[in-house]
Amino acid sequence: MTAYDIIIRPVLSEKSYDGIQSKKYTFVVDKNANKTQIKMAVEEIFKVKVAKVNTANVEGKIKRMGRNQGKTPSYKKAVVQLTADSKAIEFFESLA
């Protein structure tokens, strides 16, 4: 599994934007990836130093269309804290 298979996409929400100033970045990651793999993938892709990684499994929400009921897919999310001396991730700088 490559680094690009582990990091699927960034999470762009109000809560994730608040963490950018303190060098906390949120990503949707592969369900089977562990914290060590996520740390190595972020360091390889963005060329930064990671201090710690917090992960959460997010359950899919129940949605309805008329009588029919279904679920959105569940996913795994990782909040990555960079070290104080690490540079920021350029992708997020344009958003903040």
Side-chain angles (χ1 to χ4, degrees), residues 2 5 10-11 14 16 22 37-38 40 53 57 64 66 68 71 73-74 77-78 82-83 89-90:
T2 67
D5 293 333
V11 174
E14 286 186 35
S16 68
S22 57
Q37 291 172 326
I38 295 167
M40 292 183 344
V53 177
N57 288 313
R64 284 182 40 169
N68 301 329
K71 270 181 93 173
S74 54
K77 151 175 112 166
L82 302 184
T83 58
I89 296 176
E90 291 88 18

Side-chain angles (χ1 to χ4, degrees), residues 43-70:
E43 287 178 346
E44 180 183 327
I45 294 170
F46 299 107
K47 309 289 188 267
V48 293
K49 290 279 187 209
V50 175
K52 68 178 186 175
V53 177
N54 294 334
T55 59
N57 288 313
V58 181
E59 276 296 316
K61 295 180 180 178
I62 295 175
K63 298 287 184 178
R64 284 182 40 169
M65 290 285 287
R67 294 179 187 216
N68 301 329
Q69 184 172 331

